[in-house]
Amino acid sequence: MDTKVKEQKQKVLLMGKSGSGKSSMRNIIFSNYVAKDVRRLGATIDVEHSRVKFLGNLVLNLWDCGGQDAFTENYLTSQKQYVFSDVGVLIYVFDIESREVDKDLATYNAVIQALEEFSPRACVFCLIHKMDLVQNDFRETLFNERENAVKRHSERFVKSVVSYPTTIWDQSLYRAWGSIVHSLIPNLSVIEEYLKHLAETIEAEEVVLFERTTFLTVMSVTTEVGHQNPYTDRHERLSNIIKTFKHSLANFTSSSTSSHQFNVFFIRSPKFNLIISRLTNNTFVLAVFPPGEAELNCTRINIATAQDDFVGFDTPYRASRASTDGARSEGSSMRNTPIGSYSR
């Protein structure tokens, strides 16, 4: 059966003043850099184009636009239609330490006007970046001030623009980019339905779907018990931890991070089981569920079975199931039993 799906391309503009941190965050999210590695990156010259495959058929055409004044002037004059046509998302980065706030806002306003002319349906996200340089006591106040200033300069996008405080040194970057990419994914309601079915079957407190390369959160399903977790930023923390883990593997084996795409990782404890398993070619699924060896084995079977359901938005990863076949009959009397086909 031919499982090829037509690519859905989304043009993403990444703009902001030179030195604001645009390329650094792009390389951390999409190229598996860690924060300390971005110091060696140089300034972006004109526009750097990246083609990022996300969730199989969703392709992000990422335009990292150099922020020097000469380039910005060209974007807004001679290259205006070329740059701002067919944009799905604009991500504008503000440097919180900039001493030219008024000028930065004026440039942003000009960009917004160009976007309104050529891509009026685009989504706009603003990242107030380098927040680690602000003292903790003043971060919220300063962010709120900048967020309000951004809205005043957002023209017709004033009601839809979303701002996030970010830094490359913690999980805030993953939260912001996770929300951005989430806005681009089609068929979210279908994905949510499948995840709810899986969560109910394995009696999970929480099920989270991650994109494979970036480990950004695609969708999550949380029960009432799961909502009691005090760490509201746990998904972003996990994204950061897992990518750091992959870097550690790469350093230990003297190889690249892209070569370390593990298939399954699980933790057994007296109070819960946790599994992170490859679900499709482009996704991983995390589940937190009741403790026990039989529960773990049945959950692995259910995840393997659920791979077939995601063929509609991704090409399934056909993992070997031989190692878990024996658990199928052993767990058949439990509520967490293999779910078989999800026939719709």
Side-chain angles (χ1 to χ4, degrees):
M1 177 178 158
D2 187 3
T3 57
K4 290 184 179 179
V5 182
K6 185 179 179 180
E7 289 183 346
Q8 299 184 27
K9 298 180 181 179
Q10 288 280 3
K11 181 177 178 180
V12 180
L13 290 184
L14 181 59
M15 306 189 78
K17 183 179 179 180
S18 179
S20 61
K22 303 183 299 297
S23 298
S24 296
M25 62 174 66
R26 173 173 64 86
N27 281 284
I28 288 174
I29 296 295
F30 295 107
S31 299
N32 288 313
Y33 276 57
V34 292
K36 62 183 179 64
D37 291 339
V38 300
R39 296 171 181 172
R40 64 174 184 264
L41 295 174
T44 302
I45 304 300
D46 203 3
V47 179
E48 288 188 7
H49 298 273
S50 302
R51 188 175 183 274
V52 181
K53 198 171 184 180
F54 197 92
L55 281 184
N57 64 321
L58 177 61
V59 175
L60 306 183
N61 288 327
L62 187 60
W63 294 36
D64 184 355
C65 303
Q68 294 90 335
D69 290 344
F71 295 141
T72 302
E73 184 177 351
N74 286 336
Y75 304 150
L76 295 170
T77 53
S78 60
Q79 296 181 316
K80 189 175 181 180
Q81 184 172 355
Y82 170 68
V83 171
F84 292 100
S85 293
D86 303 316
V87 176
V89 170
L90 166 67
I91 305 168
Y92 203 94
V93 182
F94 289 92
D95 184 348
I96 194 65
E97 279 209 322
S98 174
R99 298 182 179 180
E100 299 178 311
V101 176
D102 291 339
K103 180 182 177 182
D104 296 343
L105 289 169
T107 302
Y108 166 72
N109 182 253
V111 167
I112 285 294
Q113 291 179 13
L115 189 70
E116 181 177 351
E117 180 179 354
F118 294 101
S119 299
R121 296 184 179 180
C123 298
V124 179
F125 295 89
C126 291
L127 307 186
I128 314 301
H129 198 46
K130 302 183 182 180
M131 292 297 293
D132 57 292
L133 300 177
V134 180
Q135 294 182 28
N136 287 332
D137 294 342
F138 302 105
R139 286 182 186 178
E140 185 175 358
T141 300
L142 187 54
F143 168 72
N144 290 335
E145 289 177 358
R146 292 296 171 86
E147 181 182 30
N148 291 332
V150 165
K151 287 184 176 182
R152 289 195 298 270
H153 290 78
S154 294
E155 304 285 344
R156 69 176 297 276
F157 295 98
V158 62
K159 293 183 179 180
S160 60
V161 63
V162 180
S163 299
Y164 293 98
T166 57
T167 170
I168 63 174
W169 299 103
D170 65 20
Q171 60 273 10
S172 61
L173 195 62
Y174 290 93
R175 175 173 177 261
W177 277 88
S179 298
I180 292 167
V181 173
H182 188 270
S183 70
L184 296 171
I185 299 172
N187 302 323
L188 280 175
S189 60
V190 177
I191 299 173
E192 184 178 19
E193 182 182 356
Y194 286 134
L195 286 184
K196 284 182 178 179
H197 190 175
L198 179 61
E200 290 171 1
T201 302
I202 65 177
E203 300 177 323
E205 294 180 13
E206 187 162 29
V207 175
V208 186
L209 189 68
F210 292 101
E211 198 275 332
R212 176 181 64 87
T213 303
T214 63
F215 259 90
L216 294 174
T217 301
V218 176
M219 172 68 69
S220 65
V221 173
T222 308
T223 66
E224 187 175 337
V225 175
H227 279 300
Q228 295 176 13
N229 192 316
Y231 295 98
T232 57
D233 61 348
R234 57 190 177 277
H235 299 163
E236 295 78 24
R237 287 173 180 258
L238 282 166
S239 297
N240 204 352
I241 290 169
I242 292 169
K243 294 190 80 170
T244 302
F245 171 65
K246 290 169 63 179
H247 272 278
S248 298
L249 288 177
N251 291 335
F252 183 74
T253 58
S254 300
S255 58
S256 67
T257 54
S258 60
S259 64
H260 291 287
Q261 301 295 346
F262 60 88
N263 290 330
V264 63
F265 173 92
F266 55 86
I267 297 174
R268 287 189 293 253
S269 81
K271 294 185 177 181
F272 67 91
N273 280 319
L274 181 147
I275 188 169
I276 303 175
S277 176
R278 191 165 180 175
L279 183 63
T280 70
N281 277 336
N282 296 284
T283 59
F284 275 79
V285 65
L286 176 147
V288 181
F289 52 97
E293 187 70 24
E295 282 81 356
L296 176 61
N297 289 336
C298 285
T299 295
R300 294 183 67 179
I301 293 172
N302 280 316
I303 289 174
T305 304
Q307 291 170 2
D308 295 330
D309 282 331
F310 287 82
V311 69
F313 74 93
D314 202 350
T315 302
Y317 172 71
R318 305 291 184 180
S320 172
R321 301 177 188 176
S323 61
T324 57
D325 283 347
R328 188 178 297 270
S329 59
E330 177 185 353
S332 60
S333 62
M334 301 170 50
R335 283 191 292 171
N336 182 354
T337 54
I339 54 184
S341 174
Y342 282 80
S343 55
R344 297 289 182 192

